Amino acid sequence: MTLNALPLAADPTPGTQSAIRTVRTEAEGLSLLADALAGDLGAAFERSLDLIAGVRGRLVVTGIGKSGHVASKIAATFASTGTPAFFVHPVEANHGDLGMIGRDDAVLAMSWSGESAELTGIVSYTRRFRIPLIAITSRETSALGSAADERLVLPRVTEACPHGLAPTTSTTLQLALGDALAVALLERRGFSPSDFRVFHPGGQLGASLRHVGDVMHKGEALPLVASGTKMGEAILAISRKGFGCVAVVDEAGRLLGIVTDGDLRRHLASDLLSRTVDEVMTPSPKTIRPDTLAAKALDIINGANITALMVVDNERPVGIIHLHDLLRIGVA
């Protein structure tokens, strides 16, 4: 469903009407950007990817005003997805921070008009020392566009601001194109969830990128009983280990099934304690490998409406992970 096809409230307030116009205007701008990438802009985009991927140093991202705020965000996105990058403020660059830009680096400069005087120092520096320069601008023949080695020329769009003054649609396009570069480089390099974990150790994202093997309980904490064990002994193991379940293994240590609190309730009878775990257990329970992401473990637990997962390697239980473990590290 397109934005234009979205149903509206019977009587949207003036504020809501303004919001809808803004979102639709910016969405139309993004559509024009996608069309441009499918056309002539696509070739320049590929050349820019090649240039950034071939840099031995870092990618320096710069811009002034609203473009500078976008540039700072884009630099952070590059850095967190495997492309070493940082933001340099063009005014500070004119007062000594040019020394942060090395001969093996490349510069990505963002300016909608391409005529921002504050960028002159960085642009001149890149030309003097033959540092590759990529421009994101809407004017190919601007001062920035003319000086750059590669030009990513954005389509001219209508600003969402009713006066056409506040950068709105234009900065949305800059942000989207910067994200597109970062994601394309991520995919080209084969940047994996494990790589994400290296750069995102904190917060919920970092927690979700941890592996099950880093969180699971193992060794003496693992609730295990052998096939043929009487339920009386199994119940003691469930109580002693505190996970609300016990795994049943054969003589070779392979997982046969699991006895949970739910199984106990379903088989509650006067002869329960004299029965064996094989008669009560749930065979072929849901399991997970130790090298699986913690976020996947949470997905399985929620989907199956259970509280714990046996961690299995080569058909043998090597650990157990509980919902509380995932809550504790901040996955949920």
Side-chain angles (χ1 to χ4, degrees):
M1 180 180 291
T2 65
L3 282 171
N4 287 326
L6 288 174
L8 300 180
D11 293 303
T13 64
T16 302
Q17 290 176 346
S18 174
I20 292 169
R21 285 195 303 271
T22 296
V23 172
R24 284 179 171 163
T25 300
E26 297 197 2
E28 289 167 3
L30 289 171
S31 180
L32 289 174
L33 176 59
D35 291 341
L37 284 165
D40 294 340
L41 181 57
F45 186 87
E46 286 292 339
R47 292 193 300 269
S48 297
L49 287 179
D50 292 338
L51 192 156
I52 297 172
V55 168
R56 291 185 295 173
R58 298 159 298 176
L59 180 64
V60 179
V61 191
T62 190
I64 193 71
K66 303 300 186 295
S67 295
H69 292 300
V70 173
S72 179
K73 184 274 177 188
I74 291 303
T77 300
F78 276 119
S80 68
T81 53
T83 299
F86 64 98
F87 173 76
V88 170
H89 195 289
V91 175
E92 297 297 336
N94 292 332
H95 294 275
D97 281 2
L98 283 173
M100 299 170 68
I101 306 174
R103 302 293 181 88
D104 292 330
D105 295 340
V107 172
L108 174 64
M110 309 180 76
S111 170
W112 182 255
S113 69
E115 300 294 348
S116 301
E118 295 87 350
L119 292 173
T120 301
I122 286 183
V123 171
S124 298
Y125 187 80
T126 64
R127 303 304 81 190
R128 178 183 177 188
F129 294 106
R130 299 181 180 180
I131 296 170
L133 173 64
I134 302 169
I136 294 182
T137 181
S138 67
R139 297 176 56 197
E140 184 173 7
T141 58
S142 62
L144 176 61
S146 298
D149 298 296
E150 291 295 344
R151 287 163 289 279
L152 296 172
V153 182
L154 298 166
R156 302 304 295 268
V157 293
T158 301
E159 298 286 13
C161 168
H163 308 298
L165 299 176
T168 45
T169 311
S170 57
T171 48
T172 297
L173 264 60
Q174 289 176 320
L175 181 63
L177 189 58
D179 283 343
L181 283 168
V183 171
L185 285 165
L186 174 157
E187 293 174 345
R188 177 182 287 198
R189 292 187 169 118
F191 197 77
S192 68
S194 295
D195 297 319
F196 262 110
R197 182 188 171 197
V198 172
F199 298 120
H200 300 81
Q204 185 174 1
L205 178 58
S208 65
L209 293 172
R210 294 179 68 178
H211 290 114
V212 168
D214 300 327
V215 185
M216 69 183 187
H217 302 270
K218 53 189 176 181
E220 290 298 320
L222 193 57
L224 295 176
V225 295
S227 173
T229 300
K230 294 294 185 179
M231 280 302 303
E233 183 179 341
I235 291 173
L236 289 176
I238 292 174
S239 177
R240 188 165 53 248
K241 300 297 183 179
F243 293 105
C245 64
V246 65
V248 181
V249 296
D250 63 13
E251 293 180 356
R254 292 186 292 263
L255 181 66
L256 296 176
I258 190 169
V259 178
T260 68
D261 290 338
D263 293 316
L264 296 182
R265 290 191 295 271
R266 284 187 289 273
H267 292 84
L268 191 59
S270 58
D271 65 340
L272 176 62
L273 297 182
S274 62
R275 300 175 70 180
T276 67
V277 290
D278 306 78
E279 299 175 82
V280 177
M281 72 181 186
T282 297
S284 303
K286 290 187 177 297
T287 62
I288 197 167
R289 288 182 49 80
D291 57 357
T292 307
L293 293 178
K296 180 62 176 177
L298 180 63
D299 182 57
I300 294 174
I301 285 174
N302 286 334
N305 197 27
I306 56 179
T307 58
L309 270 176
M310 296 305 302
V311 185
V312 173
D313 190 18
N314 291 325
E315 302 182 21
R316 293 169 173 80
V318 294
I320 186 171
I321 187 165
H322 195 275
L323 175 61
H324 291 165
D325 301 317
L326 301 173
L327 294 174
R328 174 174 50 81
I329 67 171
V331 174

